[in-house]
Amino acid sequence: MTAKMSVVSGRLVDPGGASLTTAMVHLIPFPMGVDEVRRMSATAGGRFRFDDVAASKYMLTVSDTVDGRSWNTVVHDVTVPGDVTDLLLVAGPSVWLEGRVVREDGRQLPFDPSELRINTVQQTSSAGFHGAGNTRVESNGSFLMRSGTGGLSLGIGGVAPRWFVKSALLDGVDVTDGSFDLTPGAPRRLDITVSDRVSRLSGTV
């Protein structure tokens, strides 16, 4: 039994002209198997090429270790068979988010805040969500995270049992349960309040 194999190739672009050897391109098939994700480093000029790509639907993403360069807006849906060439993926800007996680009543948290992780995610393709930034909270409750820009939503993981996120204020605006826009520029302030004062509702049907 034979099947047509295809090529997926293109070029990454840094608007500032910096080297792209730290950028990693990921070709993720759907439905996804752990061993099926293909990865490759871009050349200094940003070129990448996947040969022998089997027929499937894929999500093409880019990760990087360079501060100030974000790839959350370049996620592509790719359908194979059929060669997909000359993709042009341009890096976008990023912005710093600084803030603190505090207890509702102002007292010291009874659990280690360093267990908490803050992340921003963006729905950048029909396949799902893609991370734009993430960081771990310090033991004193403070955090500093670099995030990609655009329309994002907030994720907070590692909250202790019986605790919940009561509010997340971005520059004073509540973004706890909704999306928000991040634009390049000065650092943004994110204040997160957690509480164990849960409500209970009971009744009879």
Side-chain angles (χ1 to χ4, degrees), residues 90-119:
V90 182
S94 61
V95 64
W96 285 106
L97 289 174
E98 56 185 8
R100 183 175 295 275
V101 178
V102 297
R103 185 172 176 169
E104 180 183 19
D105 57 11
R107 293 186 295 165
Q108 184 176 354
L109 290 168
F111 58 87
D112 186 359
S114 64
E115 297 295 323
L116 300 172
R117 292 201 67 87
I118 313 294
N119 64 81

Side-chain angles (χ1 to χ4, degrees), residues 169-194:
L169 302 180
L170 179 63
D171 296 330
V173 177
D174 193 342
V175 297
T176 311
D177 298 312
S179 60
F180 53 90
D181 286 321
L182 280 183
T183 56
R188 308 288 296 274
R189 179 73 188 182
L190 180 60
D191 292 297
I192 298 171
T193 301
V194 296

Side-chain angles (χ1 to χ4, degrees), residues 78-199:
V78 176
T79 301
V80 174
D83 292 343
V84 181
T85 59
D86 299 325
L87 288 170
L88 190 64
L89 310 179
V90 182
S94 61
V95 64
W96 285 106
L97 289 174
E98 56 185 8
R100 183 175 295 275
V101 178
V102 297
R103 185 172 176 169
E104 180 183 19
D105 57 11
R107 293 186 295 165
Q108 184 176 354
L109 290 168
F111 58 87
D112 186 359
S114 64
E115 297 295 323
L116 300 172
R117 292 201 67 87
I118 313 294
N119 64 81
T120 51
V121 294
Q122 184 174 44
Q123 187 166 9
T124 50
S125 82
S126 62
F129 290 84
H130 183 62
N134 69 87
T135 191
R136 185 178 294 277
V137 177
E138 300 293 332
S139 58
N140 63 0
S142 65
F143 61 87
L144 182 64
M145 176 177 68
R146 186 181 285 277
S147 172
T149 56
L152 305 171
S153 57
L154 185 67
I156 303 169
V159 180
R162 301 182 64 82
W163 287 76
F164 71 102
V165 176
K166 181 175 182 180
S167 67
L169 302 180
L170 179 63
D171 296 330
V173 177
D174 193 342
V175 297
T176 311
D177 298 312
S179 60
F180 53 90
D181 286 321
L182 280 183
T183 56
R188 308 288 296 274
R189 179 73 188 182
L190 180 60
D191 292 297
I192 298 171
T193 301
V194 296
S195 175
D196 63 346
R197 298 176 61 187
V198 297
S199 299

Side-chain angles (χ1 to χ4, degrees), residues 29 32-39:
M32 185 177 70
V34 174
D35 296 329
E36 297 173 330
V37 178
R38 296 179 61 178
R39 304 173 178 84

